[in-house]
C-alpha cells in the first residue's frame, strides 16, 4: 500500500459565508435555545455561538449545516448575556457576527441551593436537597475552624440525583459554625448558607455481643457460606466478606439480630458489596423496614415488635441501573448507606431487618456489613 497525501475538499480562498439571519431566542434554565435561518450560501458549513458564562470564561456552541438550532448552557445566573452568532465556512472563515441577548431562567445550581435544608444530626450535620433537573452538582459542606470566618471544607458530595440527603459525621457535640454552597460542572457557585449547629452525641455500638436470633419465620438459609455473622465482622465491601440469603429465597424476608444489650439507636449504616452485579443492582438492598423489640415473639410473629422506620436505598450519581461511578462506591460501599431514625428511640435489644425490595433480584439479598 502507498500513503496518499491529505486531500482537502475546500478552497482556502473562498470567502466567509453569509451571516446567520432571523435568530430567535428561547430562554431555558441556565441556558437558551437559538433558532435561525440557514443562509442560502454553498460555502456555509456550520453555525457557531460564542458567549461568556463567567468573567473571561467563554464557551462555544456549534451546529452543522443540517440543523437550525444552537443550544447554549453553562450560565450560573439569570442576568442578561450577549451572544455572538457566526456562520462558518468549510475553510473555517467566519462571517461577521450577529449579536443577540439571552436571559437564562434560574439554573439548576441555584434551584438546588434554594431547596437545601441543613440540620444537626447524630455525630454531625445533614444536608437535604432537591435537584429536579438532575444536574451534575457538588454540594460543599464547610466549617469555621478558627471561629474567625476561616472556612475549611469538611466534605464535598457529588450527585446527579433528583433529591437526597448527605451527612458529615464524626464531629464533636459542641456548637459549631457551618456553611454550605452548591457548585455545578461549569464552576458556577451558589450563595453560601451559614448557620451554627450542635451535632448530637453518638458513638458506635460495640458488635462483640451480637449474634443471630434465628426465629421460626426468619430467613435462615444462605447461599454457600455467606453466613449472617458476616454482617458484623467488620470486613467490607468485598463479596467474600458479605451476607447472602439463598438464591431460592423470596421477598419480603427478614432476619433478627440479638445485640446482647439494650441500646438507643441513632442510625444504621448498610454497606453494599463491591461486586458489580450486587452493587446498586441485582440482590442489592433497595427498600427495608427496621423493627425493634425487647420481647420477641417466640413463634416468629410480629406482635411484640415496634416499627422503627422504612428506608430506601439512595444512589448519589442518579445513573440508571447497571451504571455506577466513584461517588456511588464512596457512599454505598465505604461510608455505608445512612438509615437515620427521625426521632429518639427507646432502648432495644433485638433488631429485625425486613427487606422489602432489591434492585432486580426476585428474592436473594446481599449485604456486606451493617
Amino acid at each position: 500500500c502507498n500513503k496518499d497525501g491529505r486531500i482537502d475538499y475546500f478552497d482556502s480562498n473562498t470567502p466567509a459565508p453569509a451571516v446567520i439571519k432571523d435568530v430567535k431566542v428561547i430562554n431555558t434554565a441556565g441556558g437558551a435555545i437559538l433558532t435561525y435561518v440557514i443562509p442560502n450560501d454553498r460555502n456555509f458549513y456550520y453555525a457557531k455561538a460564542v458567549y461568556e458564562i463567567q468573567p473571561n470564561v467563554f464557551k462555544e456552541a456549534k451546529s452543522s449545516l443540517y440543523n437550525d438550532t444552537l443550544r447554549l448552557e453553562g450560565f450560573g445566573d439569570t442576568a442578561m448575556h450577549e451572544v455572538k452568532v457566526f456562520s462558518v465556512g468549510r475553510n473555517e472563515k467566519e462571517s461577521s457576527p450577529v449579536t443577540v441577548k439571552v436571559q437564562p431562567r434560574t439554573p439548576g445550581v441555584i434551584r438546588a441551593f434554594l431547596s437545601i435544608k441543613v440540620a444537626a444530626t447524630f455525630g454531625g450535620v445533614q444536608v437535604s436537597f432537591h435537584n429536579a433537573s438532575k444536574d451534575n452538582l457538588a454540594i460543599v459542606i464547610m466549617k469555621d475552624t478558627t471561629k474567625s470566618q476561616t472556612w475549611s471544607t469538611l466534605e464535598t458530595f457529588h450527585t446527579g440525583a433528583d433529591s437526597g440527603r448527605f451527612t458529615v459525621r464524626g464531629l464533636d457535640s459542641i456548637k459549631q459554625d457551618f456553611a454550605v454552597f452548591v457548585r455545578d460542572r461549569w464552576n458556577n457557585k451558589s450563595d453560601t448558607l451559614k448557620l451554627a449547629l450542635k451535632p448530637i452525641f453518638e458513638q458506635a455500638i460495640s458488635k462483640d455481643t451480637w449474634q443471630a436470633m434465628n426465629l421460626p419465620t426468619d430467613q435462615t438459609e444462605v447461599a454457600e457460606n455467606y453466613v449472617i455473622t458476616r454482617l458484623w465482622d467488620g470486613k467490607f465491601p468485598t463479596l467474600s466478606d458479605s451476607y447472602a440469603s439463598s438464591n431460592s429465597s423470596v421477598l419480603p424476608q427478614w432476619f433478627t439480630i440479638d445485640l446482647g444489650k439494650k441500646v438507643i439507636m441513632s442510625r444504621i449504616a448498610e454497606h453494599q458489596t463491591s461486586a458489580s452485579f450486587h452493587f446498586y443492582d441485582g440482590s442489592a438492598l433497595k427498600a427495608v423496614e427496621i423493627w425493634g423489640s425487647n420481647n420477641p415473639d417466640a413463634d416468629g410473629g410480629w406482635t411484640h415488635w415496634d416499627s422503627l422506620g422504612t428506608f430506601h436505598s439512595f444512589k448519589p450519581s442518579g445513573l440508571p441501573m447497571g451504571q455506577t461511578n466513584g461517588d456511588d462506591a464512596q457512599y454505598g460501599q465505604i461510608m455505608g448507606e445512612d438509615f437515620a431514625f427521625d426521632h429518639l428511640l427507646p432502648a432495644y435489644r433485638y433488631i429485625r431487618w425486613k427487606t422489602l425490595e432489591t434492585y432486580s433480584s426476585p428474592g436473594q439479598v446481599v449485604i456486606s456489613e451493617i
Side-chain angles (χ1 to χ4, degrees), residues 141-214:
I141 304 175
M142 303 181 293
K143 187 177 81 167
D144 183 2
T145 55
T146 64
K147 297 184 178 181
S148 60
Q149 301 296 293
T150 303
W151 300 96
S152 63
T153 299
L154 286 175
E155 198 79 52
T156 300
F157 295 102
H158 298 271
T159 183
D162 59 356
S163 63
R165 294 184 299 183
F166 291 115
T167 306
V168 177
R169 304 284 187 182
L171 302 176
D172 293 334
S173 184
I174 57 175
K175 198 166 188 178
Q176 304 169 61
D177 291 325
F178 297 95
V180 179
F181 71 89
V182 182
R183 185 180 67 239
D184 67 15
R185 60 193 176 102
W186 298 284
N187 205 35
N188 294 309
K189 297 176 183 177
S190 70
D191 291 335
T192 301
L193 174 64
K194 298 178 182 179
L195 64 172
L197 297 170
K198 181 182 179 181
I200 306 169
F201 172 79
E202 71 169 1
Q203 65 182 30
I205 298 168
S206 172
K207 298 180 180 181
D208 54 6
T209 58
W210 295 18
Q211 57 183 335
M213 189 73 175
N214 292 336

Side-chain angles (χ1 to χ4, degrees), residues 224-243:
E224 301 175 16
N225 62 338
Y226 296 100
V227 293
I228 193 169
T229 54
R230 293 185 175 184
L231 288 175
W232 56 87
D233 62 2
K235 300 175 182 178
F236 59 90
T238 59
L239 182 60
S240 60
D241 294 313
S242 301
Y243 159 79

Side-chain angles (χ1 to χ4, degrees), residues 87 113 127 183 199 208 212 231 249 255 276 294 310 322-323 362 369:
S87 62
F113 174 75
V127 177
R183 185 180 67 239
D208 54 6
L231 288 175
S249 60
F255 54 76
S276 60
N294 288 313
T310 301
Q323 299 178 39
E369 186 86 3

Side-chain angles (χ1 to χ4, degrees), residues 10-325:
F10 62 82
D11 183 353
S12 60
N13 296 317
T14 301
V19 298
I20 295 291
K21 294 181 179 180
D22 196 21
V23 180
K24 292 182 171 59
V25 176
I26 302 172
N27 293 311
T28 61
I33 297 173
L34 307 184
T35 59
Y36 50 87
V37 174
I38 297 172
N40 184 19
D41 188 329
R42 63 189 304 271
N43 294 330
F44 176 77
Y45 191 41
Y46 66 89
K48 179 175 74 172
V50 179
Y51 55 101
E52 190 175 29
I53 60 172
Q54 297 158 20
N56 299 314
V57 178
F58 291 88
K59 199 172 186 307
E60 292 185 355
K62 296 180 180 180
S63 183
S64 78
L65 70 138
Y66 303 108
N67 203 344
D68 62 354
T69 304
L70 286 163
R71 297 182 182 275
L72 316 184
E73 60 183 1
F75 294 105
D77 55 39
T78 57
M80 195 73 74
H81 294 267
E82 188 176 272
V83 180
K84 293 183 177 181
V85 184
F86 303 83
S87 62
V88 185
R90 294 181 182 275
N91 57 8
E92 294 297 319
K93 287 185 179 180
E94 299 177 354
S95 70
S96 55
V98 174
T99 301
V100 297
K101 293 186 181 297
V102 301
Q103 188 171 19
R105 286 186 272 163
T106 305
V109 64
I110 295 178
R111 286 186 294 170
F113 174 75
L114 293 175
S115 76
I116 276 182
K117 291 181 173 57
V118 185
T121 188
F122 290 97
V125 292
Q126 186 176 83
V127 177
S128 60
F129 68 93
H130 291 282
N131 175 27
S133 53
K134 296 185 178 181
D135 290 345
N136 291 317
L137 301 174
I139 299 175
V140 184
I141 304 175
M142 303 181 293
K143 187 177 81 167
D144 183 2
T145 55
T146 64
K147 297 184 178 181
S148 60
Q149 301 296 293
T150 303
W151 300 96
S152 63
T153 299
L154 286 175
E155 198 79 52
T156 300
F157 295 102
H158 298 271
T159 183
D162 59 356
S163 63
R165 294 184 299 183
F166 291 115
T167 306
V168 177
R169 304 284 187 182
L171 302 176
D172 293 334
S173 184
I174 57 175
K175 198 166 188 178
Q176 304 169 61
D177 291 325
F178 297 95
V180 179
F181 71 89
V182 182
R183 185 180 67 239
D184 67 15
R185 60 193 176 102
W186 298 284
N187 205 35
N188 294 309
K189 297 176 183 177
S190 70
D191 291 335
T192 301
L193 174 64
K194 298 178 182 179
L195 64 172
L197 297 170
K198 181 182 179 181
I200 306 169
F201 172 79
E202 71 169 1
Q203 65 182 30
I205 298 168
S206 172
K207 298 180 180 181
D208 54 6
T209 58
W210 295 18
Q211 57 183 335
M213 189 73 175
N214 292 336
L215 294 171
T217 60
D218 285 2
Q219 172 64 41
T220 56
E221 292 187 16
V222 298
E224 301 175 16
N225 62 338
Y226 296 100
V227 293
I228 193 169
T229 54
R230 293 185 175 184
L231 288 175
W232 56 87
D233 62 2
K235 300 175 182 178
F236 59 90
T238 59
L239 182 60
S240 60
D241 294 313
S242 301
Y243 159 79
S245 61
S246 74
N247 287 288
S248 61
S249 60
V250 296
L251 295 173
Q253 61 180 261
W254 49 89
F255 54 76
T256 307
I257 302 174
D258 177 3
L259 303 177
K261 53 188 175 292
K262 290 184 178 182
V263 297
I264 297 175
M265 289 174 293
S266 56
R267 60 190 175 97
I268 295 179
E270 181 258 341
H271 301 263
Q272 295 189 40
T273 177
S274 58
S276 60
F277 44 90
H278 295 309
F279 177 48
Y280 289 110
D281 201 347
S283 302
L285 178 108
K286 193 171 185 180
V288 62
E289 291 176 357
I290 297 176
W291 298 70
S293 176
N294 288 313
N295 182 29
D297 305 54
D299 63 357
W302 294 87
T303 304
H304 298 116
W305 289 91
D306 299 326
S307 173
L308 308 185
T310 301
F311 303 92
H312 296 84
S313 174
F314 171 63
K315 190 177 184 182
S317 69
L319 293 169
M321 192 166 66
Q323 299 178 39
T324 58
N325 64 15

